[in-house]
């Protein structure tokens, strides 16, 4: 007979109360109401909708505007083009807003909107629209590759911080910043993000790498799903940042099973985000992972996830620098050749 207690898996993220720390991150699965309902039925704690891309919205609006103006001035009776006014069409973010409104009307779990942009003007405009549409929180997905050699690291950091600050001043929604790990001082940058107005960080954004087609000599997209091994980078920085920043931390990339969720919670994550595993295993995988998480904590008599969170982070070490150096040395010396 199993007498293990039931551990309270509830958590708080961006001021939102979640029944458990498993969140469906932005992916094709979160772009359709039917799969959103499946995820909720499987027990997901919260959902992040797919990213609304600033460039796509602006390109669509500009294209439609061009079509509306076609023929203007070519005929004496044509004053504003041959087509109805642009406002009569569902362009720009309206399809995204329809999904957001449907999700809010149909789901009990928090629904987080995701915005991927590059200019402060675009971010502010669409952040306001998403807030007005009822999003519970906003995830700012910063994806900008500094390919110009004349752009310094300091300039890149300043641009990121300016974006966060501008959005923070424009909306009252809780803000999570999804960033990559490629900063000279990730810990310092994390603190600066919080100072700029972020309520939390999502570690980490996956920068998809293109490939070459040798037959056509063209650059082609090459989307590869994450692997469990990618969780190690997130685990390391989660353990370093937990306890150092005043804000929420979400773990993303390489979260595939219950073990990875437990490890990241022990490192200090408030929530763990999953996409690739759900695309591979289906929405029912949520229930499997949650059972595993519950089993691990209850068998060790934890009352709650909050009790265990951060118990293995760097702040728990009396000498954080030695903690990192020792783990580095152990990693290098632990490999044994089997040849």
């Amino acid at each position: 007979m199993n007498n293990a207690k039931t551990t309270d898996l509830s958590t708080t993220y961006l001021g939102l109360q979640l029944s458990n720390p498993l969140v469906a991150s932005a992916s094709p699965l979160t772009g359709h109401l039917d799969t959103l309902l499946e995820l909720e039925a499987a027990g997901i704690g919260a959902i992040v909708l797919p990213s609304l891309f600033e460039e796509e919205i602006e390109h669509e609006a500009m294209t439609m505007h061009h079509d509306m103006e076609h023929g203007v001035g070519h005929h004496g009776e044509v004053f504003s083009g041959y087509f109805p006014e642009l406002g009569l069409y569902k362009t720009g973010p309206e399809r995204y807003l329809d999904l957001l409104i449907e999700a809010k009307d149909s789901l009990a779990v928090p629904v987080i909107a995701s915005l991927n942009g590059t200019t402060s003007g675009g971010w502010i405009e669409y952040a306001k629209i998403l807030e007005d549409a009822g999003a519970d929180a906003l995830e700012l997905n910063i994806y900008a590759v500094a390919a110009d050699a004349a752009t310094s690291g300091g300039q890149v950091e300043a641009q990121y911080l300016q974006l966060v600050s501008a959005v923070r001043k424009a909306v009252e929604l809780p803000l999570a910043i999804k960033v990559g790990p490629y900063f000279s001082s990730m810990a310092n940058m994390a603190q600066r993000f919080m100072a700029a107005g972020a309520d939390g960080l999502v570690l980490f954004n996956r920068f998809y790498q293109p490939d070459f087609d040798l037959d056509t000599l063209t650059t082609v997209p090459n989307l590869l799903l994450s692997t469990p091994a990618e969780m190690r980078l997130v685990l390391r920085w989660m353990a370093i940042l937990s306890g150092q920043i005043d804000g929420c931390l979400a773990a993303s990339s390489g979260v595939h099973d219950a073990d990875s969720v437990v490890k990241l919670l022990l490192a200090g994550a408030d929530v763990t985000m999953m996409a690739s595993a759900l695309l591979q295993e289906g929405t029912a995988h949520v229930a499997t992972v949650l059972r595993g998480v519950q089993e691990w904590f209850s068998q060790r008599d934890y009352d709650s996830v909050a009790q265990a969170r951060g118990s293995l982070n760097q702040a728990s070490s009396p000498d954080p620098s030695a903690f990192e150096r020792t783990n580095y040395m152990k990693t290098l010396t632990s490999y044994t050749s089997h040849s």
Side-chain angles (χ1 to χ4, degrees):
M1 181 176 180
N2 186 1
N3 295 319
K5 69 167 67 176
T6 299
T7 302
D8 179 8
L9 298 183
S10 64
T11 187
T12 301
Y13 177 59
L14 301 177
L16 305 171
Q17 296 299 316
L18 279 60
S19 60
N20 64 75
L22 193 58
V23 175
S25 57
S27 79
L29 279 178
T30 63
H32 305 279
L33 185 59
D34 55 347
T35 47
L36 292 180
L37 293 169
E38 290 177 11
L39 287 166
E40 182 179 54
I44 203 73
I47 287 168
V48 182
L49 298 182
S51 287
L52 177 62
F53 283 85
E54 176 188 342
E55 292 88 348
E56 290 182 339
I57 295 168
E58 292 182 349
H59 178 267
E60 181 178 1
M62 290 175 65
T63 300
M64 185 65 74
H65 179 74
H66 177 269
D67 291 340
M68 295 301 103
E69 295 299 308
H70 179 72
V72 174
H74 292 181
H75 191 280
E77 296 180 358
V78 178
F79 299 101
S80 59
Y82 293 110
F83 297 95
E85 291 299 319
L86 186 60
L88 300 178
Y89 287 84
K90 283 202 170 186
T91 61
E94 291 191 30
R95 287 188 296 272
Y96 190 92
L97 297 180
D98 286 344
L99 174 63
L100 172 57
I101 293 170
E102 285 182 335
K104 286 295 299 173
D105 288 342
S106 305
L107 304 175
V109 298
V111 178
I112 301 171
S114 176
L115 177 62
N116 190 313
T118 57
T119 67
S120 59
W123 283 58
I124 291 171
E125 177 184 354
Y126 301 127
K128 288 180 177 177
I129 292 173
L130 295 172
E131 180 177 43
D132 292 341
D136 292 303
L138 182 61
E139 182 177 284
L140 305 181
N141 191 329
I142 301 178
Y143 188 101
V145 178
D148 186 350
T151 302
S152 69
Q155 289 174 308
V156 173
E157 293 177 358
Q159 179 186 10
Y160 279 21
L161 295 170
Q162 189 273 333
L163 289 173
V164 175
S165 179
V167 176
R168 174 72 289 165
K169 292 175 182 177
V171 299
E172 297 181 0
L173 276 178
L175 298 177
I177 314 303
K178 189 171 185 178
V179 295
Y182 305 115
F183 294 100
S184 297
S185 178
M186 184 66 227
N188 175 264
M189 195 62 186
Q191 290 186 336
R192 293 166 71 192
F193 274 127
M194 308 312 292
D199 297 297
L201 296 178
V202 181
L203 312 177
F204 286 111
N205 200 341
R206 296 181 72 226
F207 290 93
Y208 297 103
Q209 312 300 337
D211 198 0
F212 287 158
D213 186 318
L214 295 180
D215 293 323
T216 62
L217 298 182
T218 57
T219 302
V220 294
N222 184 22
L223 193 156
L224 299 176
L225 298 180
S226 75
T227 66
E230 294 180 49
M231 187 267 295
R232 295 289 188 88
L233 178 64
V234 182
L235 184 68
R236 179 191 189 197
W237 279 107
M238 189 63 66
I240 292 173
L241 294 179
S242 174
Q244 289 200 61
I245 68 168
D246 184 19
C248 296
L249 289 171
S252 181
S253 292
V255 183
H256 280 248
D257 53 26
D259 284 355
S260 58
V261 172
V262 170
K263 290 177 182 179
L264 289 162
L265 292 172
L266 295 176
D270 293 288
V271 296
T272 59
M273 296 186 167
M274 184 176 288
S276 294
L278 297 179
L279 290 170
Q280 292 171 323
E281 305 293 338
T283 56
H285 188 55
V286 170
T288 301
V289 172
L290 289 177
R291 281 195 299 270
V293 173
Q294 177 62 246
E295 180 179 349
W296 192 94
F297 282 108
S298 61
Q299 286 182 349
R300 289 158 180 80
D301 292 326
Y302 281 99
D303 294 322
S304 65
V305 164
Q307 180 186 357
R309 182 180 296 113
S311 57
L312 293 182
N313 68 8
Q314 189 190 61
S316 302
S317 170
D319 187 344
S321 296
F323 172 90
E324 271 300 302
R325 184 67 180 176
T326 300
N327 277 281
Y328 169 70
M329 293 172 61
K330 284 182 177 180
T331 300
L332 292 181
T333 59
S334 64
Y335 178 79
T336 302
S337 175
H338 297 285
S339 58

